[in-house]
Amino acid sequence: MSAIDHYINAILEEGAAQAREDGSAATEAHHLLLAIAAHEGTAAHRVLAGAGLGRQAISDALAREFERSLNAVGVSLSSFTLPAPSRDPKPPKIGASARLAIERGFAAATGKKDLRPAHLLLGILDTEHGTVPRALALAGVDRVDLMARARRTLAHDSW
């Protein structure tokens, strides 16, 4: 297996662990984003860190996005004590947003041998709707600027 294959497998495994941790039946794009933030030593990780988006900052932004989404439908998170998520022993499936993010990341590369971690990050960021862009906006992060940073690393960083 190539280095990118190992990296993608590691991100998918960590993303699945994130999904299990929050009780999700599917690994979604935001789980992959958390996994990239936790995987040091890549240009994708450096892009996130450079924008102040470590794993904890992303997790906090996702929690705010969850609370805001509940508020949008008239549910106040502060009015309830949510039980701990139930963890299904079966591994989570790849969800639609994660599948699309991976496809977009692959499409951003000129071929598999040119595929690098920043391509996967671009695939996650390259959507205007959904959990990731809402969470980034709540964190005060300019998603388009973050994508530009990721593209610049592709031009100057090999990994």
Side-chain angles (χ1 to χ4, degrees), residues 3-158:
I4 193 64
D5 290 327
H6 287 288
Y7 175 78
I8 291 170
N9 283 339
I11 296 303
L12 289 173
E13 286 175 12
E14 176 63 23
Q18 294 292 329
R20 265 193 304 278
E21 186 176 309
D22 70 17
S24 294
T27 302
E28 297 294 351
H30 64 280
H31 298 119
L32 299 181
L33 184 62
L34 285 165
I36 290 172
H39 196 94
E40 296 180 10
T42 67
H45 178 267
R46 288 188 294 277
V47 166
L48 291 173
L53 291 172
R55 187 191 176 291
Q56 188 60 52
I58 293 169
S59 183
D60 292 347
L62 289 167
R64 286 192 306 276
E65 189 279 332
F66 178 68
E67 185 172 3
R68 187 168 182 197
S69 293
L70 288 176
N71 286 339
V73 294
V75 176
S76 173
L77 191 56
S78 62
S79 299
F80 300 96
T81 303
L82 294 177
S86 58
R87 290 175 175 84
D88 193 337
K90 295 181 289 189
K93 297 178 182 189
I94 297 291
S97 67
R99 188 177 321 281
L100 285 171
I102 293 166
E103 290 172 5
R104 285 190 300 263
F106 278 40
T110 55
K112 185 177 179 205
K113 66 181 178 181
D114 296 320
L115 189 62
R116 296 193 300 273
H119 287 108
L120 185 55
L121 177 59
L122 277 172
I124 293 167
L125 297 173
D126 191 16
T127 184
E128 294 180 19
H129 306 287
T131 302
V132 170
R134 287 191 306 265
L136 292 175
L138 288 170
V141 174
D142 181 340
R143 184 184 56 81
V144 174
D145 179 61
L146 196 59
M147 290 174 63
R149 291 181 195 196
R151 284 190 187 97
R152 281 193 297 275
T153 67
L154 289 169
H156 304 291
D157 250 338
S158 63

